[in-house]
């Protein structure tokens, strides 16, 4: 059965954290009230919340963690898998170890979005070598803790490395690890993929988690995204993981969160 999540961050997260609700405890409570099954935590630092505190808030609200998102490690701290600076690589590895430790108890999934980094001026092979080196080290650490890393293809206006889901599958194959797979975001797919439903079906083996937003990145239902096509494809491939709402908090966070859950629960989930 598909479960429905929503992206949240702590109160002081930067606008670039890109979540719907802010304030960890408050958001978990609200998300439950609105009808979500779980929350995706976007963290800048794994120490933003202790395992004990998170466990207690989740239990109190009968909620789960869908995944730990690492976007702020890129957006607020400027860390990237493709960076060659050894000090920054060590800092990135340390942050991811904390995320993996958290995911080993909550949700079992850690996202790799823009934090994979840019190719920039480097030859592509050099950037990819840096990416593969970090991905492999983190997969070793994650494997021992039962955690899977999920790569998110992101559109060309935000990153220059791995934009489409087909490119994501190519990289998943190069990494070649059991605990390294992919999480399509339909907003990015709407820009980069030839056809959303067909691409989900073609890349079914790597669809491990899904981000949902409408064509304008507002709440699902508020744009012209073909959600019939998306959910028909997810049905065809027997998808039974998380679909997490990651949309702009428009017109305000609570309205966006409520509109999204109402639209999706009435039709698909
Ligand atoms: C992160 O999940 C994402 O989709 C990025 O576009 C955030 O900017
Ligand atoms: Mn996303």
């Amino acid at each position: 059965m598909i479960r429905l999540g929503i992206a949240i961050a702590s109160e002081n997260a930067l606008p670039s954290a890109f979540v719907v609700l802010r304030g960890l405890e408050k958001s978990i409570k609200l998300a439950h009230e609105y009808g979500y099954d779980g929350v995706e935590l976007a963290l800048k630092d794994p120490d933003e919340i202790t395992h004990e505190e998170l466990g207690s808030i989740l239990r109190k609200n009968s909620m789960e963690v869908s995944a730990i998102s690492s976007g702020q490690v890129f957006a607020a701290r400027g860390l990237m898998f493709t960076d060659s600076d050894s000090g920054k690589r060590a800092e990135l590895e340390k942050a991811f170890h904390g995320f993996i430790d958290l995911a080993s108890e909550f949700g079992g999934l850690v996202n790799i979005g823009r934090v994979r980094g840019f190719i920039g001026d480097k030859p592509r092979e050099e950037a990819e070598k840096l990416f593969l080196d970090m991905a492999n080290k983190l997969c070793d650490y994650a494997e021992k803790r039962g955690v899977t890393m999920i790569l998110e293809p992101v559109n060309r206006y935000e990153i220059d490395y791995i934009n489409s889901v087909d490119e994501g599958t190519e990289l998943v194959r190069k990494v070649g690890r059991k605990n390294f797979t992919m999480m399509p975001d339909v907003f990015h797919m709407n820009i980069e993929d030839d056809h959303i439903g067909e691409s989900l079906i073609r890349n079914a083996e790597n669809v491990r988690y899904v981000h949902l937003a409408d064509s304008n990145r507002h709440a699902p239902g508020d744009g012209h995204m073909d959600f019939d096509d998306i959910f028909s494809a997810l049905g065809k491939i027997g998808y039974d993981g998380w679909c997490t709402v990651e949309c702009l908090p428009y017109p305000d966070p609570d309205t966006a969160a409520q509109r999204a859950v109402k639209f999706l629960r009435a039709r698909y989930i």
Side-chain angles (χ1 to χ4, degrees):
M1 201 179 66
I2 293 180
R3 280 173 299 166
L4 186 57
I6 184 163
I8 70 166
S10 53
E11 197 71 69
N12 61 0
L14 295 175
S16 55
F18 205 77
V19 293
V20 190
L21 300 172
R22 280 154 198 275
L24 294 179
E25 180 158 15
K26 187 177 74 181
S27 301
I28 292 171
K29 186 170 179 290
L30 278 177
H32 173 69
E33 282 171 21
Y34 294 159
Y36 289 90
D37 303 307
V39 290
E40 177 184 302
L41 297 185
L43 301 177
K44 189 164 89 181
D45 194 298
D47 299 334
E48 276 179 64
I49 189 157
T50 66
H51 291 216
E52 291 71 28
E53 203 185 338
L54 179 58
S56 147
I57 300 170
L58 292 168
R59 277 190 300 278
K60 213 162 39 183
N61 293 285
S62 310
M63 289 289 272
E64 283 180 62
V65 167
S66 58
I68 306 295
S69 161
S70 58
Q72 286 193 76
V73 170
F74 166 85
R77 297 170 65 183
L79 302 176
M80 296 181 255
F81 281 46
T82 56
D83 199 327
S84 53
D85 182 282
S86 58
K88 285 191 174 163
R89 292 181 77 75
E91 197 184 332
L92 174 68
E93 210 178 332
K94 183 164 176 276
F96 266 77
H97 284 180
F99 293 151
I100 292 165
D101 291 342
L102 198 57
S104 73
E105 214 178 311
F106 305 101
L109 298 172
V110 176
N111 128 293
I112 304 170
R114 291 172 297 170
V115 73
R116 67 168 143 299
F118 292 101
I119 297 176
D121 297 334
K122 292 188 193 73
R124 189 182 176 97
E125 307 75 58
E126 194 182 316
E128 193 143 279
K129 196 162 168 285
L130 289 161
F131 177 88
L132 291 172
D133 167 71
M134 182 63 75
N136 270 301
K137 279 198 282 198
L138 293 177
C139 282
D140 286 340
Y141 188 88
E143 197 175 326
K144 294 191 191 89
R145 291 158 181 84
V147 172
T148 296
M149 315 294 293
I150 42 177
L151 174 75
E152 178 178 12
V154 169
N155 78 73
R156 67 190 71 182
Y157 306 107
E158 297 186 48
I159 206 85
D160 64 358
Y161 183 41
I162 313 300
N163 306 120
S164 70
V165 172
D166 286 336
E167 286 177 289
T169 285
E170 217 177 288
L171 187 57
V172 167
R173 288 190 183 140
K174 273 188 198 155
V175 174
R177 302 285 300 246
K178 277 199 312 286
N179 64 333
F180 187 93
T181 181
M182 193 165 40
M183 50 160 298
D185 177 327
V186 299
F187 173 77
H188 301 305
M189 291 185 82
N190 189 46
I191 298 170
E192 299 292 348
D193 288 56
D194 53 355
H195 184 279
I196 299 182
E198 285 168 18
S199 178
L200 288 170
I201 292 170
R202 195 163 64 232
N203 294 285
E205 60 178 325
N206 296 315
V207 179
R208 178 68 181 80
Y209 189 90
V210 176
H211 268 166
L212 297 178
D214 217 312
S215 51
N216 46 11
R217 226 170 186 179
H218 291 183
D222 286 359
H224 55 82
M225 187 78 84
D226 187 352
F227 283 101
D228 285 351
D229 169 55
I230 292 166
F231 281 94
S232 144
L234 292 176
K236 278 189 191 138
I237 65 173
Y239 182 74
D240 70 348
W242 287 93
C243 281
T244 291
V245 173
E246 185 201 49
C247 64
L248 294 169
Y250 180 85
D252 61 76
D254 298 288
T255 308
Q258 286 172 286
R259 273 193 199 160
V261 74
K262 191 166 169 225
F263 174 81
L264 294 165
R265 290 280 189 217
R267 290 163 183 79
Y268 308 112
I269 300 176

